[in-house]
Amino acid sequence: VGTLSGKVVLVTGASSGFGLGVAEALLARGAKVHAAARRLEPMRGLEAKGARLHAMDVTDDASVSEGVAQILAEDGRIDAVFNNAGYGAYGAIEAVAIDEVRRQFEVNLFGAGRVMQAVLPAMRAQGSGLIVNTASVVAHVPMPMLGWYAASKHALRAMSDAARLEVAPLGIRIVLIEPGAVKTGFDTVALDALDKTAHPAEYHALRKAFRNAMEGFYRNAPGPEATVAAVIAAMESEAPPRRYRTTADARWLPRVRALIGERLFDRLMMRVLK
Ligand SMILES: NC(=O)c1ccc[n+]([C@@H]2O[C@H](COP(=O)([O-])OP(=O)(O)OC[C@H]3O[C@@H](n4cnc5c(N)ncnc54)[C@H](OP(=O)(O)O)[C@@H]3O)[C@@H](O)[C@H]2O)c1
């Protein structure tokens, strides 16, 4: 995208965490920001700084297509999208109800895909555009008690990697952001889901150990600054890399697993969760 001044950018999940931070950083650089989330109130500060707000639920076809149509009607183009809305439906594979699993995929995978399908026609017509999708380190590394969330991010990674090859010849770039644990609103939502999901007694010890480990990770986790900076760097770059691993754990966990092998990694993981 190059210099961001005057560029038209859609940010989903702009009411909290990475999305809110990226929207603020874009406004500071003079971009025309379209901030989207289900809740409008937490985005009033962005509006005061010049953002256009969209009440958008990424699980709803009409909500997404109307939002994108409004952007095109107002600004005539979309230069970049931070495709970021998402949450963690934590719990054991056996315990998370299939309806909740569907909702997980509806937001994290189909929601991101729905936004891509809505903006790609305009980007094709322009012959340019950038889409930054938000995966996670758990798209590479397995962990118990967050398997359905990890599955949604694995799927998002696969879908993004395929789309990247399809649209590159059209002048459109797709980039993946892969953070590890970062202090945003994410851990509260994910651990709440874990607590509210009824588990058979056989899982109680693992659930408790996992919860303690997560609380520890998040207590020591960095804030969203490095991840926000990576999204901005991708948007300012003429030739961004395929993926940005934005935290130390996102860089070392996949490397350690590749180095020591799955067997030993699984044992270490379960020792941490004893
Ligand atoms: N923080 C981490 O540790 C971490 C690590 C790796 C990846 N990620 C990913 O980073 C992304 C952003 O998360 P975050 O850490 O910034 O968490 P967050 O502070 O909880 O923000 C999540 C955002 O997603 C929006 N959202 C959720 N469901 C939505 C829906 N159905 N339609 C539209 N918007 C929806 C929320 O807005 P409303 O509720 O107002 O709609 C909120 O703005 C997510 O995809 C998450 O999976 C986070």
Side-chain angles (χ1 to χ4, degrees):
V1 173
T3 171
L4 286 165
S5 179
K7 292 288 153 61
V8 180
V9 186
L10 166 62
V11 178
T12 72
S15 61
S16 177
F18 298 147
L20 184 58
V22 166
E24 272 173 353
L26 288 167
L27 287 167
R29 285 162 180 76
K32 179 78 206 284
V33 175
H34 290 268
R38 291 168 305 176
R39 294 167 298 158
L40 289 175
E41 280 324 303
M43 300 192 290
R44 292 295 174 204
L46 296 174
E47 187 177 40
K49 292 178 190 158
R52 176 83 163 76
L53 304 191
H54 300 266
M56 185 186 286
D57 184 337
V58 299
T59 69
D60 180 342
D61 288 339
S63 166
V64 170
S65 57
E66 279 162 24
V68 169
Q70 265 175 27
I71 297 171
L72 292 171
E74 263 174 44
D75 291 322
R77 55 185 295 112
I78 299 183
D79 296 299
V81 177
F82 181 35
N83 210 2
N84 159 74
Y87 76 101
Y90 280 16
I93 296 296
E94 182 186 340
V96 182
I98 283 297
D99 278 347
E100 179 50 40
V101 173
R102 280 207 189 89
R103 209 169 75 81
Q104 175 75 115
F105 275 75
E106 197 58 63
V107 176
N108 292 8
L109 177 65
F110 305 139
R114 193 173 275 115
V115 170
M116 289 167 74
Q117 291 186 345
V119 300
L120 278 170
M123 289 184 171
R124 272 192 291 109
Q126 292 162 197
S128 69
L130 170 73
I131 299 172
V132 180
N133 283 345
T134 313
S136 165
V137 66
V138 303
H140 296 273
V141 176
M143 286 180 205
M145 307 310 277
L146 50 67
W148 289 117
Y149 171 69
S152 76
K153 293 298 189 182
H154 268 74
L156 178 66
R157 171 161 75 101
M159 182 268 264
S160 304
D161 281 338
R164 176 165 46 75
L165 300 175
E166 292 167 358
V167 301
L170 315 177
I172 302 163
R173 296 186 179 111
I174 307 234
V175 168
L176 269 173
I177 295 289
E178 298 178 341
V182 176
K183 192 66 206 146
T184 60
F186 179 86
D187 55 313
T188 307
V189 172
L191 292 180
D192 245 37
L194 182 74
D195 293 344
K196 285 189 182 131
T197 303
H199 283 71
E202 290 88 337
Y203 293 100
H204 287 184
L206 180 61
R207 177 171 66 172
K208 189 162 175 231
F210 172 81
R211 201 184 196 296
N212 288 342
M214 281 295 142
E215 276 183 348
F217 284 148
Y218 277 92
R219 206 173 303 122
N220 299 313
E225 297 76 15
T227 302
V228 169
V231 176
I232 297 298
M235 289 187 183
E236 285 177 338
S237 169
E238 294 296 338
R242 291 169 178 74
R243 61 193 86 248
Y244 290 80
R245 293 184 170 150
T246 63
T247 59
D249 55 344
R251 290 186 286 271
W252 66 256
L253 274 168
R255 265 193 229 148
V256 167
R257 183 165 183 252
L259 203 66
I260 68 176
E262 293 183 9
R263 228 171 82 111
L264 195 52
F265 189 86
D266 282 0
R267 274 172 54 191
L268 276 178
M269 173 72 63
M270 293 314 281
R271 179 162 308 168
V272 170
L273 296 179
K274 263 239 151 32

